[in-house]
Amino acid sequence: MSRRADDEPLSQARARAQLLAGGRRGRSAEDVVRQVFAIQAQDTVAADLGIRVRGQDLTARAIRTAYEDDRTIVRNWFMRGTLHTIPAEDVGWVTALLAPRVIAGTGSRYRDLGLTDDLRLRSGDLIGRLLGAHGPLTRAELAEQLATLGVAPAGQAPFHLVRYAALTGLVCHGPLRAGEPTYVLLRDWVPAAGAPGLAGEAAAAELARRYLAGYAPATVCDFASWSGLALTSARAAWQAMARSGAIVTDGDLTVLAGGARGHGDRSGGPDVRLLPAYDNYLTGYRTRQESVDAGFEARVWPGGGVIRPTVLVDGFVVGTWSRGRAITVDPFTPLTDEVQAGVAQEAAATARFLSPAG
């Protein structure tokens, strides 16, 4: 396990930045998202759990309030073209920065599905009119109307058309309806998203700064892997920050200048967290060697794009967990009594969060 100059394991330093070690937790859902900038969110429940595990006594209702009532956080397609939750005020410039590369990278899929440039434009116009008149609407409801343009409701075409509308800044995820996501017009849901914002190299440098604030120590390759930016663009952002004195690099690891994090208010003992499936602590770097022992990787990444829920202790994965009628933990090796006590406490908190009253 790599260590920093102050003899702190690299995994623990990164976990502290992610509000996952050292007793660090955010005060609210908005505070969590603002500090780590992006929560992996392709699964709705996992996204909520990703906020919960970084927050102080957060309830599911409090997180839903941040999404739907306060609208301070927004779920949509951002980094690497995958679903993330980010601060609402950053939606516009982040989409403008990242979406063109995602759209270009999806070109062959558009062609395979017969989604021509003209059809995507007409679909966007129809989706905009539907949401303006009848939104929020589910994907199935949008697919039913897209059929009038000759788009088959079954299959992947409706998904890619809705996603394209999001990538072009037209729509975003809105309120849940019976647990199912709906879509809304971005300009109505987050009016500030349409205001002029950062662009070009300045936007890339700001995204790099936000990344380092929530993930450092990290490398420029880690940033490129996380963001989906081309490595040349990532390096240019790194260089811009270096010229301004905003970063400090030791070897290939970089941190923000003057950005050392406190160790939280924990008096001692292991900091145990139950991370959800697909958590960005495990997807935010180019490699996983600092967080998971190579001998146990297959138990976390079994294949097929699956990333299992994990047990994290001071930034290092020591097992996986699952939930049925109760939360079950499957440790890689026997756990100490202290860690077992922490697991029990986290399991109880997670179960409360997931309960109907949570």
Side-chain angles (χ1 to χ4, degrees), residues 224-260:
S225 176
W226 169 83
S227 66
L229 287 172
L231 185 56
T232 52
S233 298
R235 284 175 172 154
W238 234 243
Q239 291 164 1
M241 290 194 297
R243 287 194 299 271
S244 68
I247 59 175
V248 176
T249 298
D250 182 7
D252 61 350
L253 290 174
T254 298
V255 298
L256 290 176

Side-chain angles (χ1 to χ4, degrees), residues 148-196:
T148 64
L149 300 181
V151 178
Q156 287 294 301
F159 161 78
H160 279 286
L161 290 172
V162 172
R163 181 174 179 256
Y164 181 80
L167 292 170
T168 54
L170 178 64
V171 308
C172 68
H173 281 67
L176 293 181
R177 187 196 301 165
E180 184 177 1
T182 65
Y183 300 91
V184 293
L185 291 175
L186 177 61
R187 66 172 180 266
D188 292 341
W189 194 251
V190 187

Side-chain angles (χ1 to χ4, degrees), residues 8 94-95 98 123-124 205 213 239 259 282 288 290 298 316 329 337:
E8 180 186 30
V94 173
T95 300
L98 300 178
S123 296
Q239 291 164 1
L282 299 181
R288 57 195 66 154
E290 298 298 339
F316 203 72
V329 171
D337 290 345

Side-chain angles (χ1 to χ4, degrees), residues 82-244:
T82 58
L83 286 169
H84 285 76
T85 294
I86 72 172
E89 68 265 24
D90 297 310
V91 170
W93 68 267
V94 173
T95 300
L97 173 66
L98 300 178
R101 183 171 170 83
V102 175
I103 291 171
T106 316
S108 62
R109 188 60 179 146
Y110 292 149
R111 290 190 292 273
D112 291 344
L113 293 170
L115 304 180
T116 64
D117 292 350
D118 178 67
L119 180 55
R120 296 200 306 276
L121 288 173
R122 288 190 292 122
S123 296
D125 181 65
L126 177 59
I127 289 170
R129 286 187 282 110
L130 289 168
L131 293 178
H134 308 292
L137 297 173
T138 65
R139 188 197 305 175
E141 290 168 336
L142 290 173
E144 183 179 356
Q145 297 301 315
L146 287 169
T148 64
L149 300 181
V151 178
Q156 287 294 301
F159 161 78
H160 279 286
L161 290 172
V162 172
R163 181 174 179 256
Y164 181 80
L167 292 170
T168 54
L170 178 64
V171 308
C172 68
H173 281 67
L176 293 181
R177 187 196 301 165
E180 184 177 1
T182 65
Y183 300 91
V184 293
L185 291 175
L186 177 61
R187 66 172 180 266
D188 292 341
W189 194 251
V190 187
L198 296 165
E201 291 183 359
E206 177 61 14
L207 187 66
R209 188 189 71 78
R210 301 290 186 94
Y211 173 75
L212 287 172
Y215 289 81
T219 71
V220 67
C221 292
D222 290 328
F223 171 59
S225 176
W226 169 83
S227 66
L229 287 172
L231 185 56
T232 52
S233 298
R235 284 175 172 154
W238 234 243
Q239 291 164 1
M241 290 194 297
R243 287 194 299 271
S244 68

